[in-house]
Amino acid sequence: MSGEDALDAAEQAHLDDLAHRVVEAEASGDERAVEAALRPRRLDEVVGQERVREQLALVLAAARGRERTPDHVLLSGPPGLGKTTLAMIIAAEMGSPLRLTSGPAITHAGDLAAILSGMNESDVLFVDEIHRMSRPAEEMLYMAMEDFRVDVVIGKGPGATAIPLEIPPFTLVGATTRAGLLPGPLRDRFGFTAHLEFYEPAELDRIVARSAALMEVPVDADGRAEIASRSRGTPRIANRLLRRVRDYAQVRSDGTVTRDIAHRALDLYEVDASGLDRLDRAVLDVLCRRFGGGPVGVSTLAVAVGEERETVEEVAEPFLVRIGFLARTPRGRVATPAAWSHLGLTVPAGAPFSDSALPAEATLFDEDADPTG
């Protein structure tokens, strides 16, 4: 098999597997190893998130000046924006070891007690997806964060004995994509909270330039801009697209990433100029061509595109709503004029948001329940 044939086969397998979408904001296990080499090591190396960086720098500088551990930190925001990177930077800036775990891994209070018992003074404990911790572990964490001790229960029933375990002062860094699921008592124990926002194209351009330099990929300004514009405001996606364009440039060109090379590579991977992939466009296409722009229940949309309801609702819908192509209404999902325009279609008379039909219910609607779904 020739090099180009091998690349074609690999590309097709990638395109056929929606579990590994090239614009998916979550990272697979293998990808996390690749990301590690591209992460900034210090706050002054971080691109974007200026307000968060300034606030966090102040918190860390004050803690160093007092020779105390920093307050506990809660980082929230969509996946791929740099929460794990900031946790690593906090540990590096304080010169402290970083211990990593995740909410789903802490299923019992004993799991958390085992982690905390091994902590040393000034350690930084990073808990990813902290909203998915078990309730008993959460309740133990309250005391650990506030009083730096936990009560370990030995035995069961009337003979059970609580043994207090002192913990050296440490800093907890929690990361969550769904801050609303955190109990109030847990949120209140974080001294500093920050919400990470999506990145602007100019910021993503700088991230692509930095990553390309680390990967030793020659890329011109137009090539960087093309990748940044299709990255859905997410650095993880920008770095992933850069790697895919690099592969294309290496096999089918001279290795240099230009606008034309980036355009052809990303078209091959079915990522259009707005960052939409095959699933996103399928949802819009069905909504507009088959259902006249809606309103349509999410379950009906899922059946029409041949996907599970959760895939449409959690993978495709958030980005389509964010860029204004889709609206959630009490009666179902509705295509906006921008969606019709993106597909090269004219909004028909009587469609939601058309000049002749602007239903009162066709407004953004945040309820999870969908009566038609």
Side-chain angles (χ1 to χ4, degrees):
M1 181 180 292
S2 69
E4 290 197 7
D5 289 341
L7 181 63
D8 287 340
E11 289 166 346
Q12 191 57 50
H14 186 88
L15 296 176
D16 290 341
D17 186 2
L18 283 176
H20 298 87
R21 301 167 69 219
V22 73
V23 292
E24 175 58 56
E26 297 285 356
S28 65
D30 292 341
E31 187 175 32
R32 292 187 186 279
V34 177
E35 284 184 349
L38 302 178
R39 294 186 191 277
R41 307 298 181 186
R42 296 285 176 179
L43 270 177
D44 56 10
E45 297 177 7
V46 175
V47 176
Q49 310 293 345
E50 282 83 2
R51 182 59 59 87
V52 172
R53 283 194 291 117
E54 184 177 0
Q55 293 171 344
L56 191 54
L58 186 62
V59 169
L60 299 180
R64 287 195 298 268
R66 294 192 302 268
E67 296 185 351
R68 301 285 298 275
T69 58
D71 286 340
H72 303 301
V73 176
L74 177 64
L75 304 172
S76 65
L81 299 188
K83 296 184 292 297
T84 302
T85 296
L86 284 178
M88 293 179 174
I89 287 174
I90 290 171
E93 295 279 355
M94 297 304 299
S96 302
L98 177 69
R99 297 173 181 265
L100 296 93
T101 187
S102 65
I106 304 175
T107 57
H108 305 286
D111 298 333
L112 180 61
I115 294 171
L116 295 175
S117 65
M119 299 287 288
N120 298 314
E121 187 170 355
S122 300
D123 281 0
V124 176
L125 174 62
F126 175 58
V127 182
D128 198 10
E129 298 182 277
I130 193 170
H131 62 276
R132 296 177 60 186
M133 286 180 60
S134 66
R135 182 55 56 87
E138 280 179 0
E139 294 173 353
M140 176 178 284
L141 191 57
Y142 298 160
M143 185 179 297
M145 295 173 68
E146 200 162 47
D147 301 327
F148 297 109
R149 74 179 183 89
V150 294
D151 291 334
V152 179
V153 179
I154 305 297
K156 295 182 179 181
T161 303
I163 300 176
L165 174 66
E166 298 295 327
I167 304 169
F170 70 98
T171 297
L172 173 67
V173 180
T176 177
T177 56
R178 306 184 68 180
L181 295 183
L182 284 178
L186 181 56
R187 284 199 306 270
D188 293 343
R189 283 170 169 78
F190 286 97
F192 173 73
T193 62
H195 181 77
L196 304 189
E197 303 289 346
F198 286 100
Y199 289 63
E200 297 296 326
E203 295 170 337
L204 290 170
D205 189 298
R206 292 164 57 196
I207 290 171
V208 171
R210 179 183 180 276
S211 298
L214 292 173
M215 296 164 59
E216 299 182 351
V217 177
V219 54
D220 64 20
D222 291 338
R224 294 198 312 266
E226 186 71 16
I227 294 171
S229 67
R230 304 192 190 202
S231 298
R232 301 164 77 115
T234 306
R236 175 175 291 152
I237 296 175
N239 287 329
R240 187 184 298 136
L241 295 184
L242 173 62
R243 295 197 299 272
R244 299 289 71 78
V245 173
R246 173 202 59 185
D247 295 344
Y248 185 96
Q250 175 186 334
V251 174
R252 297 191 175 177
S253 185
D254 61 0
T256 300
V257 176
T258 63
R259 180 185 294 276
D260 179 62
I261 290 296
H263 183 83
R264 283 190 278 160
L266 296 177
D267 280 355
L268 175 66
Y269 283 95
E270 298 187 290
V271 180
D272 68 20
S274 295
L276 275 62
D277 72 349
R278 186 195 66 80
L279 176 60
D280 300 319
R281 289 192 300 274
V283 169
L284 291 183
D285 192 74
V286 165
L287 183 57
C288 293
R289 296 180 190 273
R290 192 175 304 178
F291 297 108
V296 182
V298 66
S299 293
T300 304
L301 274 179
V303 171
V305 299
E307 294 291 342
E308 297 293 330
R309 173 188 172 124
E310 290 76 14
T311 302
V312 172
E313 194 169 26
E314 299 176 13
V315 176
E317 185 178 282
F319 181 65
L320 294 176
V321 170
R322 180 164 67 86
I323 64 174
F325 284 1
L326 192 71
R328 298 178 64 184
T329 78
R331 295 177 55 200
R333 277 52 174 177
V334 174
T336 66
W340 289 90
S341 176
H342 185 77
L343 295 176
L345 304 174
T346 302
V347 183
F353 293 108
S354 69
D355 293 337
S356 60
L358 287 173
E361 71 271 22
T363 55
L364 290 178
F365 189 70
D366 292 327
E367 294 295 332
D368 289 332
D370 181 358
T372 64

